[in-house]
Amino acid sequence: MASGRTRALTAPRLIIYTARWWPLFFYSVLAFVLTWPLGGRLGTEIPLDGGSDVWAHEWTFWWLKTALLAGRNPYFTDLLFHPTGVDLTSHNIAWFNFALWFPLQTAFDSNTAFSLMYPLLFALNGYAMYLFAQAQLRVQTGAIIAGLVYGFWPYVLSQAGHPNMIVLFGLPLGLLYVDRTIRYGRRRDAVLAGVFFALLGIARWQLLVPAVYVVAIFVIGRAVARQNRGATAPLGKRLTPFWGQVYRAIRAQAIGVFQLSKRLAPIGVVMAILMAPLLLPLVIAQAMRTTAGDLLTYEPHYASDLLSYLLPNVHLGLWSSWVERLPSAWQFHQQEITFLGYTVMILAAIGIYGYRRKALLWLAIALLFLCLALGPTITIGQQPWPALPTPYRLVEDWFITHLMRRPDRFNIFLGLPFAMLAAMGTTVLQRRLAVKWFAPLALVIALAIVAEYSQAPYPLTTTAVPAWYQQLAQEPGDFAILGIPIGPYYADKYYMHYQIQHGKPIVGGHVSRRPPEALAYMEASPFLDDMLYRRIMDPTVEAVSHELRYLAAANVRYVVLNKHFSTAEQIEAWKAWLLVQPRYEDESVVVYATAPHAGIDFTVMEQLTPQVGLIQTTFAPAEARQGDLVTIDVGWAGQGATDGDYAACIDLLDTQQVEKQHNCYPLSPTWPTSRWAVNEVVRGQIIVQVDPHLAGGDYQIQLRLADGAGQMQGQPVTLGALAVTELPRTFAPPQPQQVTNLQLGESIALLGYDITVADTLQLTLYWQARTPIDHSYKVFVHLIDQRSGAILAQSDAPPRQWGYPTTWWEAGEVVAETIELPLDPTFTAPRTLRLGMYDDQTGDRLPLHSDDGATYPDNAFVIALGGE
């Protein structure tokens, strides 16, 4: 005798059984097609979004597994933001995805399990929608199309970096059992609805916000529909137009609402029971948090462009070449694709026309989500229209709206109403066409939707980890590492991916709604603060080993420069700042120890004193003119503190080794030698100005140390050769248009000037140094309104606009300079020029007199320009 199981699968039942499950197989195949080449690269590549959030989710799964198996608190980790760790109660933990990933990774590797979630969830979403649409419309083909639209909705399919944003099967299944609860009043249906809605919230709390809108409109729509069909309890009697029955009708409606609420109440109870263990820690942590807004990061500017629903995104393969020919304002490159699809829009229009009243519910939900996704300001073709009011403004201040964080995320469930409308449209066509015509048309419709929604090739990235991080996993000891560049919104997510391989704590990281205190350790270090906010190693921070000791004291063993996230110029600048040699370098990383040691991480090139040596020196330029600046970069090495603070002295020696120029500078203004420790590494930069009176020729640059009393210490070091050329100087008498022969002070003469008045005023002055000048003087030239005495334009600067100060002048040298002043073409009143010189430090004007001893008021020479 056959068993009950065998009897259950007799031919008719087997057909029904197969018909029930083959759509799931169909959607599974489509899921691998629409995410291709993911299926062919499982384990070696993984879905990736532009912000690389996928690595944060992958790390979260790994951390949950680590913490739960070790009996640790999953809501706090000491593996990120070392040394303080970070609270994870506000972190985006995808618990449902983790529950799906965990058994998969026991059968496959972690990366394969993570990738497999995507096609599995897309298929499950489609199948859930199929079941719901079939229950609503009682048609097979329309339900298949509904599952296709919902399961592979472009906005959902493009959520490569947010695996918890694709867990959407709970909404159609929840609605399915809500409808059954309303129809039959069975408690088990309400319990199942609560389970599926809870799974939605467990996947991501934000998904419950749009789900609330859908469920509310669906329940109201179903209640009204039953009432119009003459249903009695639980909705009461229909309202009649006779005023005598108003009271009884209202009473009946109140009873009906109460009874309906009682039927649906188990849904909320089940949701609360299932979600409480995960939601309660978040609520408690937020209540105890002193800084507001950590949970609700509201970003209203992330809204959808109205035109983006009608024009394909460039990431859609079928349309990309066509879209690139559109005006730039009509091209949409954002990762989240909001295009509805022309096939779906046509089917929806047919469904609305064919079903009319029944389609109104889904049309209302579609319009609601479209309006909310547009945000507080309507944008059309990337042009905002702030004057147009939006429905979103009515709910913008609601808590649940802020909980959604971004308006465009209301697109996540927009596929549900469009799937139902497309199913209705397909059903209308099926009823209007003969079977032999509809079957190929249905296939064309399915293929058209697949083609329009395809993003192939699906965005993927390699799961490979640089070799050094794999070696790090084998290094014994409990220590942390610092990855550079520090980037909590990009690079640090990759460091979290690498951490899964090596298991060491890292400085920094990425968590959703990061607590402000997580950055306190980095902000306390000038080096880390610069890297965190400016991605530079500030050249003014000189104490390299002191900054590294800050890391070493916190048990950070290595600083890792990651080449994949930096330019070659950045890497070279960072290496130059660190001074020491890396412990390891390949095509991916450069690794430095935070506790550098002489002979291992750096070599002392020259030992100036027992405490101070040189790691390296460079200077530029190698050829300079009189007055030019020569920059000397020095890497200092220390072996302990000195008695007092040393100075670095630079001498220029001629070919006879005679000192011709001598200047001393603080060796390190910010980190003096009296504070140095053993294995100290300090950056230094000395800027030497070549004496403007130094004779041209070849010189040797020599470096010496001097103590606080100016006494030379240790041995001098020759840094290299410097070729000095003399400035071009003129001693021949000039031929000015106007000769003045004025004397300024004891050392300077104004021999004459040239003047041209056109669109601007150009004044060329001819100075001469009578004797060497030991002060820097500024030349002032003021254009004056002769009537009011107001200054119309002026120039105040050392000669040649700071390019040739008076201290550079040789005795007898003639210096010509041209000063240009703007002129107002509409000004016609008489004007005058007043000019002279004054002390750069005191502001006192040089006495001005002529050769015969005549003086000038205010020590200013006056040139009358007249007026028009």
Side-chain angles (χ1 to χ4, degrees), residues 493-660:
K493 299 174 188 177
Y494 281 87
Y495 304 158
M496 292 162 69
H497 171 60
Y498 302 157
Q499 188 183 58
I500 296 174
Q501 177 71 40
H502 62 72
K504 308 296 184 184
I506 62 174
V507 179
H510 174 82
V511 295
S512 308
R513 292 164 288 278
R514 179 189 62 222
E517 60 270 17
L519 299 179
Y521 173 76
M522 285 185 277
E523 292 174 337
S525 162
F527 159 56
L528 294 179
D529 188 74
D530 282 331
M531 288 303 302
L532 178 63
Y533 293 112
R534 288 167 286 279
R535 307 287 191 272
I536 63 169
M537 292 178 175
D538 189 346
T540 63
V541 178
E542 299 176 326
V544 174
S545 57
H546 175 66
E547 295 295 331
L548 294 178
R549 278 197 297 271
Y550 179 77
L551 292 166
N555 200 26
V556 179
R557 183 174 293 182
Y558 297 114
V559 174
V560 186
L561 309 185
N562 292 270
K563 296 181 179 180
H564 294 318
F565 313 121
S566 315
T567 65
E569 292 76 13
Q570 284 178 314
I571 292 293
E572 290 307 313
W574 296 339
K575 291 171 72 173
W577 186 90
L578 285 163
L579 277 176
V580 298
Q581 295 299 311
R583 291 282 180 94
Y584 177 91
E585 182 172 5
D586 61 17
E587 70 281 358
S588 299
V589 298
V590 190
V591 182
Y592 293 87
T594 58
H597 286 77
I600 299 176
D601 301 286
F602 62 91
T603 302
V604 179
M605 180 183 68
E606 296 284 352
Q607 195 72 46
L608 282 77
T609 71
Q611 294 83 21
V612 181
L614 294 176
I615 299 174
Q616 63 182 40
T617 59
T618 59
F619 67 90
E623 297 182 1
R625 291 198 312 180
Q626 294 171 324
D628 281 355
L629 301 178
V630 177
T631 300
I632 304 173
D633 290 306
V634 184
W636 303 100
Q639 293 301 318
T642 61
D643 295 331
D645 297 330
Y646 282 7
C649 298
I650 300 297
D651 298 332
L652 296 185
L653 309 180
D654 64 12
T655 54
Q656 304 301 315
Q657 297 298 298
V658 176
E659 177 188 300
K660 294 299 183 179

Side-chain angles (χ1 to χ4, degrees), residues 11-25:
R13 292 179 179 272
L14 180 60
I15 294 173
I16 296 173
Y17 183 83
T18 305
R20 181 181 301 172
W21 290 103
W22 79 262
L24 179 58
F25 174 77

Side-chain angles (χ1 to χ4, degrees), residues 675-695:
R675 302 179 65 181
W676 287 13
V678 177
N679 290 314
E680 193 77 58
V681 177
V682 179
R683 298 178 66 259
Q685 188 175 81
I686 303 170
I687 299 178
V688 180
Q689 185 174 46
V690 178
D691 191 323
H693 305 293
L694 183 69

